Amino acid sequence: MTDNDLPPRLGSLTFHGPLSGSRADGFIRRLADASPATVLDIGCGWGELLLRVLEAAPGSTGVGLDINAEDLARGRLLAKERGLSERVEFVEESALGTTRGPVDAILCLGSSQALCDPELPHDPAAALRELRRLVRPGGRVVLGEGFWERTPTDAELAGMWPGATAADHFLLPELVDLAVEAGFRPAWIETASRDEWEAFESGYRHDTEVWLAAHPEHPLAEETRARVDRQRAGWMGYRGILGIAYLTLVPVG
């Protein structure tokens, strides 16, 4: 079995999250305006955002942390193609308790769980305190964090991911208050649109769905079909209820 026989992974996505290029351009510009010398991307995936920040901030250097070796290899290839290999390092390691700060700018989009104790429930407050520890005075943090558009009912929670509870996320005002309590001022608050969510969720599965249609009898088809069916059902469950906020945060003091 060759790699070409296997179901593809995330090839239709530019970013690993519900994020449009125009929205990314906005917070990249705000980060670059602060002239960061050092940038840390926590849960970087293949580092598309990190690379764009480095392009927008000449002379800056960056480190991307992730535990997915395949994504990191893709990031290194992208960096080479853009002539950025000397300015960026992709590292396969956990961000929990990382000593890779303080830095001038931090990206943490959909990855705050990497800063939390995996033995405990996800705690955005703890993640925000870690981000405050890792950013220098005068720096910037862009946090992408899930929130409830409204408190979900028990029936709605049952249609989401296994074990979903209303305590899994905060409402947006509560999330912003946590950032303030952690020692930040929320300089920019924005949320993903329905179009961004649909582009992400459909793009997440697109290549695999096309592969399944072409390879219905493949040895991996059954388990792959079951996986993407679960993913799609989960999205249908939280569609319009789960949001993601992009907060550009400035440390106080």
Side-chain angles (χ1 to χ4, degrees):
M1 187 181 299
T2 68
D3 287 347
N4 291 334
D5 295 324
L6 300 176
R9 182 176 181 273
L10 309 183
S12 291
L13 293 178
T14 301
F15 305 110
H16 198 281
L19 178 65
S20 65
S22 60
R23 191 181 306 281
D25 288 345
F27 60 66
I28 288 169
R29 182 180 64 253
R30 291 189 288 275
L31 285 181
D33 285 348
S35 300
T38 52
V39 185
L40 177 65
D41 191 346
I42 295 168
C44 65
W46 51 88
E48 179 64 32
L49 278 170
L50 175 58
L51 296 176
R52 293 191 185 199
V53 172
L54 299 183
E55 289 172 329
S60 60
T61 61
V63 175
L65 303 182
D66 208 290
I67 57 173
N68 187 298
E70 182 181 348
D71 284 349
L72 293 169
R74 179 177 171 185
R76 295 184 189 104
L77 179 60
L78 289 172
K80 183 177 180 180
E81 291 173 350
R82 299 184 196 183
L84 294 170
S85 294
E86 299 302 314
R87 293 172 53 197
V88 67
E89 181 182 9
F90 289 100
V91 184
E92 185 179 352
E93 67 180 37
S94 169
L96 184 64
T98 183
T99 59
R100 292 186 177 272
V103 295
D104 299 315
I106 300 176
L107 297 164
C108 183
L109 277 76
S111 302
S112 63
Q113 71 278 359
L115 297 168
C116 300
D117 186 335
E119 300 301 318
L120 298 174
H122 178 228
D123 185 355
L128 281 157
R129 291 192 295 270
E130 273 293 275
L131 292 170
R132 182 63 186 85
R133 177 181 71 83
L134 291 167
V135 66
R136 288 194 178 105
R140 299 289 187 274
V141 173
V142 175
L143 172 67
E145 183 68 30
F147 71 97
W148 294 129
E149 298 275 5
R150 57 175 174 78
T151 303
T153 67
D154 289 343
E156 289 168 336
L157 288 165
M160 299 183 191
W161 52 89
T165 73
D168 289 344
H169 296 287
F170 292 91
L171 298 174
L172 181 58
E174 297 168 332
L175 178 61
V176 174
D177 286 347
L178 289 178
V180 174
E181 291 168 9
F184 290 105
R185 298 304 303 175
W188 202 278
I189 301 169
E190 54 194 319
T191 63
S193 69
R194 179 66 64 86
D195 286 347
E196 286 172 304
W197 270 108
E198 291 181 350
F200 167 62
E201 293 287 356
S202 294
Y204 190 89
R205 281 172 292 277
H206 173 269
D207 293 352
T208 305
E209 294 285 18
V210 171
W211 180 89
L212 281 168
H215 301 83
E217 305 302 325
H218 191 281
L220 296 177
E222 183 176 357
E223 65 180 78
T224 302
R225 189 180 302 111
R227 173 173 55 82
V228 295
D229 286 350
R230 286 193 303 271
Q231 291 168 343
R232 186 181 61 255
W235 171 40
M236 292 291 102
Y238 61 70
R239 184 173 182 265
I241 304 172
L242 177 65
I244 187 166
Y246 297 110
L247 308 180
T248 300
L249 304 172
V250 183
V252 176

